[in-house]
Amino acid sequence: MKINEFKLTFDSKSVNEAFARVVVSSFASQLDPNLEEIADVKTAVSEAVTNCIVHGYKDTTGKIYITGTIDNKNNLKITVKDKGCGIKDIHQAMTPLFTTGEGDRAGLGFTVMESFCDKLTVKSKEGKGTTVILVKKIEGKSKW
């Protein structure tokens, strides 16, 4: 059962990546996460938002939508969505070292997200955008 939630919308500018991390970590703080758990969440969110900026809206600016929920079992669920170009082949995109980016892109974004979360779901449609759902069980003590 969902016990708390938030919704956030911001421009796909790299200066907002840190903003997204702070908002999500502040929201997660009500579960009293340990330092490792909060670092994991911040890293996964950072990767998801960066993917929206770099890949979803390549040479343009669009909106990034983040929602967060906490349930009565201390599961933190963060959904990061864009309405950008979408992903042609999700399976290929989730393969370590695969990238459509240029230059210094390592192709490890989804791998990093998956390693820091308990569950990762990616949904995408070409020309419509991508939705990344991150779920992390927080072992702390909920204030609820």
Side-chain angles (χ1 to χ4, degrees), residues 15-55:
V15 295
N16 288 331
E17 180 263 332
F19 171 65
R21 274 195 329 255
V22 169
V23 169
V24 171
S25 63
S26 293
F27 181 73
S29 69
Q30 62 197 289
L31 293 173
D32 194 26
N34 63 41
L35 290 176
E36 183 178 347
E37 289 169 330
I38 204 69
D40 290 354
V41 168
K42 288 169 74 173
T43 301
V45 167
S46 180
E47 290 294 332
V49 170
T50 298
N51 275 359
C52 294
I53 296 166
V54 172
H55 301 290

Side-chain angles (χ1 to χ4, degrees), residues 35-127:
L35 290 176
E36 183 178 347
E37 289 169 330
I38 204 69
D40 290 354
V41 168
K42 288 169 74 173
T43 301
V45 167
S46 180
E47 290 294 332
V49 170
T50 298
N51 275 359
C52 294
I53 296 166
V54 172
H55 301 290
Y57 294 116
K58 284 184 185 179
D59 298 317
T60 188
T61 301
K63 297 291 183 191
I64 297 174
Y65 308 87
I66 299 182
T67 59
T69 61
I70 291 172
D71 68 19
N72 60 346
K73 295 181 181 176
N74 280 17
N75 291 306
L76 174 67
K77 178 180 174 183
I78 304 297
T79 302
V80 180
K81 179 180 179 179
D82 68 57
K83 294 183 180 179
C85 65
I87 299 171
K88 184 176 184 175
D89 182 338
I90 293 174
H91 179 72
Q92 183 181 38
M94 293 182 76
T95 302
L97 304 179
F98 176 81
T99 184
T100 58
E102 299 170 4
D104 63 349
R105 298 286 155 206
L108 293 172
F110 287 124
T111 303
V112 169
M113 287 180 241
E114 199 166 35
S115 69
F116 287 121
C117 292
D118 297 310
K119 183 177 180 185
L120 169 68
T121 305
V122 180
K123 301 173 184 176
S124 190
K125 191 165 195 161
E126 276 191 286

